[in-house]
Amino acid sequence: MTDPLVRVDALTKEFTVRERGGKRVVRALDEVTVDVRPGETLGVVGESGSGKSTLGRAILQLETPSAGSVTYAGTELTGLRPRERRPFQRRMQVIYQDPFSSLNPVRTALQQVAEPVTVLRDATDPDAVARDALARVGIAGDRVHDLPRAFSGGQRQRIAIARAIAVRPEFIVCDEPVSALDMSIQAQVVDLLRELQDERGLTYLFISHDLSVVREIATRTAVLYRGRLVEIGPTDSLFRDPQHAYTRRLLDAVLVPDPAIARRRLEQLSTRVAAPVDLPPTDASAMVEVAPGHLVLV
Ligand SMILES: Nc1ncnc2c1ncn2[C@@H]1O[C@H](COP(=O)(O)OP(=O)(O)OP(=O)(O)O)[C@@H](O)[C@H]1O
Ligand SMILES: [Mg+2]
């Protein structure tokens, strides 16, 4: 089997939260071990607060792990000096849920796509590179000189995608990239991401609490619950034959024939913690392979 592009090994991330009357430690990730293989889309699902974004941010080195390591294409990223980290800032990109807050409101589409090209890529004409990237996502002509507020939500997400691809990355963390968009627009943006992956051999970590989108786009799916990886496997196998009690609960809640009901249940799931599921202590747990490549926490 080929080497993984990203290797996350026993990654733990704790946050200290100040509260009235003292401090509390939140363990957002608890010894998560997972690989992302070149060219695949690894879906990451789990309810709100399960650690999905923290996993993406820790891979991108936007969070410093409390323990464990992240290795990218054979180089351990944890502990690299800023200068050594620089090439990886080009090779790894991110697309967030809300392009309104990730785009600069006072810079044109062209300016914001050209900026990372100027900083991270050795291009003689960053504007030409930016125009190409924008044209690829469907934003062309004079529109490139418009500010974010002149675009629809779907178009703004296209600009964010153009900015991510303009520097020719290998790996993109997509953190709920379509969750804020209307259903019809969601499908278009998912298609665009898929086409770009095929054209450019991209690898995605695709975070979403929307299981139907993950089922459609992900090669493999990882399930996080309270910072733990409870199940991972080929998407078909995991959705057809979920093994962990939490995965079952997640799928039961949303895989109902009526999409409106599924959507409502999903919204409830993401805002309020589903009835808790017991987990074994970290030091006494193991992942067991139940089908080829399909592992469950026991
Ligand atoms: N900077 C931070 N400071 C303190 N706590 C944090 C911080 N970032 C995340 N957390 C906590 O870590 C846990 C995991 O958060 P994370 O954002 O990774 O969850 P998530 O799965 O992405 O949730 P959502 O679906 O709502 O985006 C949560 O309990 C969250 O409150
Ligand atoms: Mg999140």
Side-chain angles (χ1 to χ4, degrees), residues 13-17 24 26-29 46-55 57 63 97 175-176 207-209 224 227 270:
K13 177 64 189 179
E14 290 181 339
F15 293 105
T16 305
V17 195
R24 188 170 55 97
V26 176
R27 187 168 276 215
L29 294 175
E47 67 203 24
S48 186
S50 56
K52 304 182 298 296
S53 295
T54 305
L55 176 62
R57 293 175 55 79
E63 302 284 2
Q97 171 170 0
D175 191 347
E176 307 270 7
I207 298 169
S208 180
H209 63 266
L224 289 184
S270 56

Side-chain angles (χ1 to χ4, degrees), residues 38-91:
E40 82 168 335
T41 297
L42 179 67
V44 180
V45 302
E47 67 203 24
S48 186
S50 56
K52 304 182 298 296
S53 295
T54 305
L55 176 62
R57 293 175 55 79
I59 291 174
L60 296 167
Q61 303 293 295
L62 299 172
E63 302 284 2
T64 312
S66 308
S69 65
V70 175
T71 304
Y72 185 87
T75 302
E76 189 174 330
L77 299 180
T78 24
L80 285 187
R81 290 191 210 103
R83 249 183 86 157
E84 299 165 326
R85 205 180 284 169
R86 211 175 161 73
F88 299 99
Q89 289 169 343
R90 182 190 67 75
R91 295 169 74 180

Side-chain angles (χ1 to χ4, degrees), residues 182-255:
D182 291 344
M183 283 291 252
S184 58
I185 310 292
Q186 282 193 8
Q188 294 171 14
V189 173
V190 166
D191 284 347
L192 174 64
L193 288 170
R194 240 200 305 237
E195 288 165 19
L196 291 169
Q197 178 169 48
D198 288 348
E199 285 167 23
R200 300 168 184 229
L202 291 166
T203 304
Y204 292 148
L205 186 82
F206 193 94
I207 298 169
S208 180
H209 63 266
D210 188 336
L211 296 173
S212 54
V213 173
V214 169
R215 188 178 204 175
E216 199 187 314
I217 198 170
T219 326
R220 291 189 303 145
T221 298
V223 183
L224 289 184
Y225 178 58
R226 300 197 332 228
R228 304 278 296 276
L229 178 72
V230 298
E231 189 161 355
I232 184 168
T235 299
D236 284 347
S237 178
L238 190 132
F239 278 77
R240 193 176 357 97
D241 195 14
Q243 297 288 321
H244 196 273
Y246 177 72
T247 313
R248 290 211 186 110
R249 189 158 299 177
L250 202 61
L251 297 190
D252 281 351
V254 295
L255 296 182

